[in-house]
Amino acid sequence: GKPNMAGGGGGVGGGGEKEVAIRRLEGPELHWCGLVLDTRTMNVRLDYSRYRNQHLRDATTVSFDGRPGLKMREKTIGSVKSKLLPILLDRTINSYRRVRYNIFQSFL
């Protein structure tokens, strides 16, 4: 079951009780805020599990007005930049191999 995290007093919505689901850690990976932390090595990577069973065509829109090739290029660069978080490239946290893999994954 879920632990009961009772909210006391006047919070938003009248101060009723609030339940918070806490997921049990299964295996060495901790999924947190779109990241996966390996609890053995403390390496960090992006969590791509949300893309499982999704097709690229469902996540991509292309504008055909103006210059569609240029717009697609801009979207691709924006996508890569948004995935290259400093924590993923930090060599004090991640191994050299993990940093290289994180860079590779940013292009997916």
Side-chain angles (χ1 to χ4, degrees), residues 59-98:
T60 307
T61 57
V62 179
S63 172
F64 289 104
D65 57 325
R67 301 175 68 179
L70 183 61
K71 299 231 186 212
M72 186 66 167
R73 179 177 178 254
E74 289 170 358
K75 282 188 174 194
T76 302
I77 291 170
S79 173
V80 170
K81 282 184 176 181
S82 71
K83 294 176 189 175
L84 283 176
L85 304 172
I87 193 170
L88 301 174
L89 305 175
D90 191 336
R91 285 278 291 121
T92 59
I93 298 171
N94 298 301
S95 67
Y96 179 70
R97 183 178 181 163
R98 171 51 61 192

Side-chain angles (χ1 to χ4, degrees), residues 10-72:
V12 176
E17 287 189 5
K18 187 183 204 178
E19 286 190 6
V20 177
I22 298 175
R23 217 167 113 190
R24 177 175 288 183
L25 182 62
E26 304 273 338
E29 294 182 340
L30 173 65
H31 295 255
W32 177 71
C33 295
L35 299 172
V36 179
L37 291 95
D38 186 319
T39 60
R40 294 168 304 185
T41 63
M42 296 310 292
N43 283 328
V44 181
R45 64 181 169 85
L46 282 176
D47 187 357
Y48 283 92
S49 64
R50 63 185 167 169
Y51 298 114
R52 200 170 287 136
N53 300 323
Q54 288 188 356
H55 297 284
L56 179 61
R57 68 176 171 261
D58 297 332
T60 307
T61 57
V62 179
S63 172
F64 289 104
D65 57 325
R67 301 175 68 179
L70 183 61
K71 299 231 186 212
M72 186 66 167

